[in-house]
Amino acid sequence: MKICVIGTGYVGLVAGTCFAESGNTVICVDVNREKIEGLKEGIIPIYEPGLKELVLRNSAEGRLSFTTDLAAAVKASLVNFIAVGTPPGEDGSADLQHVIAVAREIGRHMEGFKIVVDKSTVPVGTADKVRQAVQEELDARGVGIEFDVVSNPEFLKEGAAIDDFMKPDRVVIGADNVRTAEIMKELYSPFMRKTNRLIVMDVRSAEMTKYAANAMLATRISFMNQIANLCERMNADVSAVREGIGSDSRIGYDFLFPGVGYGGSCFPKDVKALVKTAEECGYDFALLKAVEEVNERQKSVLTEKLIAYFSRENATAPLAGRTIAVWGLSFKPRTDDMREAPSVVIISRLLEMGATVRAHDPEAVREARKIFGDRITYSGSSQYDILSGADALAIVTEWNEYRNPDFDRIRESLTRPVIFDGRNLYNVRRMKEIGFEYFSIGRNAAGFVEK
Ligand SMILES: NC(=O)c1ccc[n+]([C@@H]2O[C@H](COP(=O)([O-])OP(=O)(O)OC[C@H]3O[C@@H](n4cnc5c(N)ncnc54)[C@H](O)[C@@H]3O)[C@@H](O)[C@H]2O)c1
């Protein structure tokens, strides 16, 4: 099948590459000329495990190409995916300007029947707006060309995007037309070989499904973070509680790890957008508002522990003149994505309080530099380099290389053996045995909470 994917970011590049991998001819389009020129030379603009190999192979075999020429790509393709960004607007609602701009471009250039697929995360009712935008452009041209608009929200996770796309838990297709639904089924059939996990529904329900899924996951995270905070105050251990509730098959273990709050390009903006959508139809989504507020507060929990700890020595300016080493910058492991990363809030606060920050991340240093510039120092190679002479280690992202580190080396490098772990990577009792002061989230058996 001939496809074009408009928007070559995390979603568009992965989707386009995976469709090419299953034999389709795919043109990836972007307005960012530098990105497209790089991709033509095999330079992948994002870090995503396994992506580079697939891009190179499919490009070499002629199934995958990159262009800024949207008109030519649309003319050559039956299925046109819109995978551009939908960042939050000032009021929290999804900003649809890029989606609608692309819809207009499609309407301006299409010559025969087209399927226009909303792959970006867009609020209920967006497919109608896309349909209207395409139609207006066709009317302006004075041509009558058939087209369908489909909602096909994406559920991939950064860091596991290729696997998620190739072996999806489900694919949701919102289509109002059987012929188009059949074409979409055919396109996804290579990814459904073991069992059919393709769910076809009406367009508006498909649009809502994406928001409901992300809102549910965000809710679990905020719920567990509050349980953890309460555990600390009651001398209970959230890790035990997590196991205790996760074993209930109605609850399950996924998304029950407490931490320093969710981040990334999806949960924060999708929760905000759903609250806004509810408001627009006069409905108060009180639960989700609380989910968001709890998440904002959770981003301060680790810094509060640092402040409380160093206040014992200097109550008025606890972090002034301290050097804090930070492990992990990206919003989660296996990605370089820094959008809404808790690390940004944590590091900004440390700097405000007069601390010097040195940070390590295996992949996100380049992105972090765009945010912090020279205000912090970085290491993308050895996680131990930044520890020498630091007053404490704070762990913000749970990269695998932090799970089983050389504790002797950490102890020898820091001015004092103290670790603030925002991801509960280590065993509390063991840390005590090997001589660390160790503060984590919701495990107050050895935690430090200011009473
Ligand atoms: N990142 C994720 O994990 C994820 C997962 C599921 C869904 N989504 C959703 O998918 C959508 C895309 O997300 P992303 O993370 O890939 O975004 P991104 O910012 O990484 O990529 C978007 C791309 O679209 C391009 N673009 C913007 N306007 C354009 C235009 N008019 N024509 C052509 N290209 C244009 C940008 O240059 C950019 O390269 C969003 O709606 C997001 O919510 C993202």
Side-chain angles (χ1 to χ4, degrees):
M1 218 178 280
K2 293 198 169 17
I3 297 171
C4 84
V5 182
I6 304 157
T8 310
Y10 285 88
V11 167
L13 183 56
V14 169
T17 305
C18 292
F19 282 133
E21 177 69 8
S22 57
N24 300 289
T25 305
V26 181
I27 309 173
C28 286
V29 184
D30 207 286
V31 281
N32 185 331
R33 202 165 286 278
E34 198 186 330
K35 197 181 253 190
I36 292 297
E37 289 312 315
L39 280 160
K40 282 182 181 168
E41 284 165 26
I43 301 165
I44 313 297
I46 53 169
Y47 171 74
E48 187 59 49
L51 181 60
K52 185 166 185 158
E53 295 76 357
L54 288 187
V55 170
L56 294 181
R57 184 168 69 234
N58 284 283
S59 303
E61 288 172 8
R63 287 189 297 266
L64 182 62
S65 59
F66 300 96
T67 184
T68 52
D69 186 351
L70 187 142
V74 167
K75 282 179 190 150
S77 309
L78 168 64
V79 186
N80 300 262
F81 284 89
I82 304 179
V84 296
T86 48
E90 268 176 27
D91 61 356
S93 62
D95 180 348
L96 295 179
Q97 59 165 315
H98 303 303
V99 172
I100 299 300
V102 169
R104 292 202 172 279
E105 287 285 302
I106 293 173
R108 244 169 252 152
H109 299 291
M110 60 192 265
E111 284 176 345
F113 173 70
K114 300 288 167 197
I115 298 174
V116 179
V117 185
D118 287 342
K119 185 151 255 332
S120 300
T121 301
V122 288
V124 176
T126 303
D128 295 336
K129 292 182 181 160
V130 165
R131 195 173 294 117
Q132 190 187 341
V134 175
Q135 191 59 54
E136 281 173 7
E137 293 301 325
L138 292 176
D139 292 347
R141 288 166 59 197
V143 293
I145 305 174
E146 263 192 79
F147 66 97
D148 268 332
V149 178
V150 170
S151 166
N152 170 217
E154 182 50 58
F155 297 97
L156 62 76
K157 301 182 288 296
E158 287 175 22
I162 301 288
D163 245 24
D164 284 348
F165 200 92
M166 299 283 217
K167 296 177 219 146
D169 286 340
R170 79 313 208 175
V171 168
V172 169
I173 302 290
D176 295 329
N177 170 315
V178 176
R179 175 184 61 170
T180 298
E182 285 305 318
I183 294 174
M184 294 302 291
K185 275 188 192 169
E186 194 186 321
L187 186 57
Y188 275 104
S189 60
F191 312 121
M192 302 283 145
R193 285 169 55 81
K194 264 199 199 145
T195 50
N196 182 29
R197 283 150 288 135
L198 194 132
I199 306 167
V200 180
M201 58 181 76
D202 66 278
V203 170
R204 294 174 86 86
S205 303
E207 289 173 333
M208 180 56 113
T209 299
K210 173 66 190 176
Y211 282 97
N214 277 357
M216 168 72 98
L217 295 172
T219 303
R220 279 175 76 103
I221 295 173
S222 278
F223 175 80
M224 270 322 271
N225 281 335
Q226 289 220 290
I227 291 287
N229 296 341
L230 191 55
C231 280
E232 273 180 21
R233 284 154 180 82
M234 306 202 67
N235 258 331
D237 181 338
V238 72
S239 303
V241 175
R242 188 187 64 79
E243 276 193 58
I245 63 173
S247 55
D248 184 330
S249 60
R250 295 168 302 176
I251 296 175
Y253 289 103
D254 288 343
F255 277 80
L256 289 189
F257 283 102
V260 287
Y262 58 75
S265 66
C266 291
F267 288 1
K269 92 171 161 58
D270 293 351
V271 167
K272 280 192 189 76
L274 193 50
V275 167
K276 190 68 195 160
T277 301
E279 247 172 60
E280 280 163 11
C281 43
Y283 182 69
D284 177 19
F285 207 146
L287 175 64
L288 271 193
K289 285 183 186 164
V291 166
E292 198 189 347
E293 193 202 317
V294 167
N295 192 58
E296 282 313 305
R297 278 196 250 152
Q298 196 65 18
K299 291 181 190 169
S300 311
V301 164
L302 202 67
T303 326
E304 290 306 326
K305 286 174 194 283
L306 274 144
I307 293 169
Y309 178 86
F310 285 107
S311 289
R312 296 188 297 193
E313 290 160 33
N314 182 346
T316 46
L319 297 183
R322 304 280 177 195
T323 298
I324 310 297
V326 173
W327 277 1
L329 292 164
S330 55
F331 85 93
K332 66 174 185 180
R334 291 163 66 82
T335 180
D336 60 349
D337 200 340
M338 288 288 295
R339 289 178 283 187
E340 301 269 347
S343 68
V344 176
V345 175
I346 293 170
I347 292 174
S348 303
R349 181 90 188 284
L350 295 176
L351 293 174
E352 263 168 44
M353 304 272 306
T356 299
V357 176
R358 298 186 200 149
H360 171 269
D361 190 285
E363 297 296 337
V365 166
R366 193 178 52 167
E367 291 300 310
R369 229 183 259 283
K370 293 181 193 164
I371 298 168
F372 293 112
D374 296 336
R375 289 186 296 142
I376 68 175
T377 49
Y378 309 88
S379 165
S381 47
S382 166
Q383 67 207 59
Y384 300 102
D385 286 354
I386 60 163
L387 299 181
S388 172
D391 296 299
L393 167 61
I395 302 175
V396 177
T397 314
E398 67 277 33
W399 283 93
N400 268 343
E401 42 269 75
Y402 304 152
R403 288 183 185 277
N404 227 343
D406 183 341
F407 287 112
D408 290 337
R409 217 169 146 188
I410 298 177
R411 198 187 307 97
E412 283 156 20
S413 304
L414 295 174
T415 59
R416 61 177 91 193
V418 58
I419 299 180
F420 294 84
D421 179 0
R423 299 295 179 180
N424 289 359
L425 299 187
Y426 313 130
N427 180 293
V428 172
R429 196 175 317 138
R430 171 146 191 267
M431 293 305 285
K432 201 171 180 183
E433 280 165 12
I434 60 176
F436 277 91
E437 286 188 279
Y438 176 61
F439 306 115
S440 53
I441 308 289
R443 302 188 299 170
N444 202 35
F448 184 91
V449 181
E450 209 174 20
K451 299 275 186 220

